Amino acid sequence: MLDAIEIHVAGGNGGHGVVSYHREKFVPEGGPDGGDGGRGGRVYVRAVDDVYTLEQYRSKKRFKAGNGGNGGPNLRTGAHGADLYLEVPAGTVIYDVETDDLIADLVQPGDEVLVAHGGRGGWGNKRFATSTNQTPSFSQKGHEGEELDLRLDLRLLADVGLIGLPNAGKSTFLAAVSNAKPKIAAYPFTTLEPMLGVVNVAWDRFTLADLPGLVEGASEGYGLGFEFLKHIRRCRVLLHVVDSTSPDPVTDYELIEGELRAYDPKLDEVVRVVAVTKSDIDEEQAKASASALAAHVGAPVRVVSAEFQQGTEELCAELMRLVHVERARGAAEPAGELPVLRPQSQERFSVYREGPGRFIVEGHRVVTFVEMMDTEMVGASDEVIRRLDRWGVTRALRREGARPGDTVVFGETEIVWEG
Ligand SMILES: Nc1nc2c(ncn2[C@@H]2O[C@H](COP(=O)(O)OP(=O)(O)OP(=O)(O)O)[C@@H](O)[C@H]2O)c(=O)[nH]1
Ligand SMILES: [Mg+2]
């Protein structure tokens, strides 16, 4: 069972643009016809309703969308890289590891967020043809896809969580009503870590989490419970299971509730259903336990036998109903707009002096364009200079005091300023 995990995601690289010239019989000097590279694929994270844990990200941690295809002659454009969708459970919160910024809180199945853009495809030489340069002999490289580390934090563990003393019969209940196969034994502390099952109710279903039993002092770190108390916060509804054969079910109940309250008073607000189990052992005693508890909590208490699956179906139907109410409430709550990664401004740029003879240019469009130019290619440097002129970068550099021979930095690329 995992709560938080880090993964690395990368958008696909853009495909390269190519240099090519039209060839035709009897047409000696064809014009440029090099096509553009395709855009790199994007990475999305999407909440789906048949994934319940982050387990699948335990072993594989690096994900990259498909690269864009290179352009071809005859204006053939490279194919876009394939997008990649990473599936996570609803309740997954995504952070940027480097900045610790919240990227998205995927509350409901179907919520999704773009986490890494693909790199732009490079332009083929055809794109650079102008009246003064009709046969450009250069093209652009594809840009690299965006890369970042994400922390996935699973906030919602399950629709329903099982709480109760060790040996109360929680795992037996999970086994009786779900597809899960938990370990069951006649001694306390059988369950060592949370386990999830899916409970089908007619055509509907909810997830049920079996949690390790709590003991007195759990909120201060005794027993196994403390580590798992935080899981309890991440259930929509709690099913409090009490052993009906206990000499004092009310004290058992209060011990658990007291620990929860001591750990986090907010846990009081989570909707509860109380059930006494093992009713097959002594039905009379079970009924007496249930009424004593009902009087204590001021709400009806269910009587079940997980072993013989008595009363379990009705209990699950009630839980399903409550889960629906809570899901609707969760959806209605202002979960906040999904903070979508801000697309970097395409238009603006800024220039500043970093030190003597060294200037930095920032701004997505400008920097990406320069990075993508292969300045080894004949004529490519001239093209860069021409565009920087047109975009006003040259003027801004002069204003900041740049002089011929100074270094100008565009992201990964440094060029010597010629004035
Ligand atoms: N007769 C009878 N025995 C039950 C029933 N439910 C549980 N038991 C028994 O009670 C014992 C404890 O059951 P578990 O389900 O392992 O209890 P647990 O609450 O998961 O305990 P921990 O994992 O240790 O916290 C086992 O011997 C079960 O067979 C029931 O409905 N009827
Ligand atoms: Mg157990």
Side-chain angles (χ1 to χ4, degrees), residues 164-173 183-192 210-214 241 243 277-281 304-309:
L165 287 176
N167 216 39
K170 302 178 294 299
S171 301
T172 309
F173 183 80
K183 190 174 166 202
I184 294 166
Y187 49 82
F189 304 120
T190 310
T191 303
L192 299 177
D210 183 17
L211 302 162
L214 297 170
V241 175
D243 185 341
T277 186
K278 309 192 190 178
S279 66
D280 55 285
I281 296 176
V304 301
S305 162
E307 188 83 28
F308 292 92
Q309 308 204 1

Side-chain angles (χ1 to χ4, degrees), residues 155-164 170 173 206-212 214 228-242 253 256-261 263-276 297 299-302 315-316 318-324 326 329:
R155 287 282 169 78
L156 185 70
L157 175 70
D159 293 313
V160 181
L162 281 160
I163 53 171
K170 302 178 294 299
F173 183 80
F206 64 84
T207 52
L208 179 63
D210 183 17
L211 302 162
L214 297 170
F228 300 109
L229 271 167
K230 68 175 184 203
H231 293 294
I232 294 175
R233 232 186 336 204
R234 299 175 5 220
C235 299
R236 288 195 165 99
V237 174
L238 295 177
L239 174 58
H240 191 153
V241 175
V242 180
Y253 172 88
I256 297 294
E257 293 293 334
E259 292 301 332
L260 296 191
R261 230 172 287 135
Y263 175 73
D264 182 357
K266 277 215 202 90
L267 285 175
D268 255 358
E269 293 161 23
V270 183
V271 178
R272 305 261 199 300
V273 174
V274 184
V276 296
V297 300
V301 169
R302 297 256 170 196
L315 175 51
C316 287
E318 183 185 356
L319 291 169
M320 185 77 248
R321 194 178 56 74
L322 290 170
V323 164
H324 277 302
E326 292 307 306
R329 217 161 64 112

Side-chain angles (χ1 to χ4, degrees), residues 275-387:
V276 296
T277 186
K278 309 192 190 178
S279 66
D280 55 285
I281 296 176
D282 182 340
E283 216 178 319
E284 286 312 305
Q285 194 191 356
K287 282 186 188 153
S289 300
S291 15
L293 269 171
H296 179 70
V297 300
V301 169
R302 297 256 170 196
V303 180
V304 301
S305 162
E307 188 83 28
F308 292 92
Q309 308 204 1
Q310 283 164 353
T312 47
E313 206 171 308
E314 295 84 344
L315 175 51
C316 287
E318 183 185 356
L319 291 169
M320 185 77 248
R321 194 178 56 74
L322 290 170
V323 164
H324 277 302
V325 173
E326 292 307 306
R327 279 187 191 154
R329 217 161 64 112
E333 263 168 27
E337 283 284 287
L338 278 188
V340 175
L341 283 185
R342 266 167 282 113
Q344 284 136 318
S345 165
Q346 299 285 305
E347 302 310 327
R348 256 175 264 130
F349 66 88
S350 58
V351 174
Y352 64 92
R353 182 171 171 278
E354 194 194 41
R358 195 175 165 85
F359 295 82
I360 311 287
V361 178
E362 283 174 354
H364 188 66
R365 182 174 71 157
V366 171
V367 170
T368 307
F369 185 86
V370 175
E371 280 182 342
M372 289 166 75
M373 291 303 283
D374 188 345
T375 42
E376 304 279 287
M377 287 181 162
V378 179
S381 295
D382 292 343
E383 179 69 21
V384 169
I385 288 162
R386 215 171 56 77
R387 291 209 175 231

Side-chain angles (χ1 to χ4, degrees), residues 93 102 104-108 111 329-339:
V93 187
L102 172 70
D105 183 357
L106 304 178
V107 180
Q108 300 287 324
D111 287 350
R329 217 161 64 112
E333 263 168 27
E337 283 284 287
L338 278 188

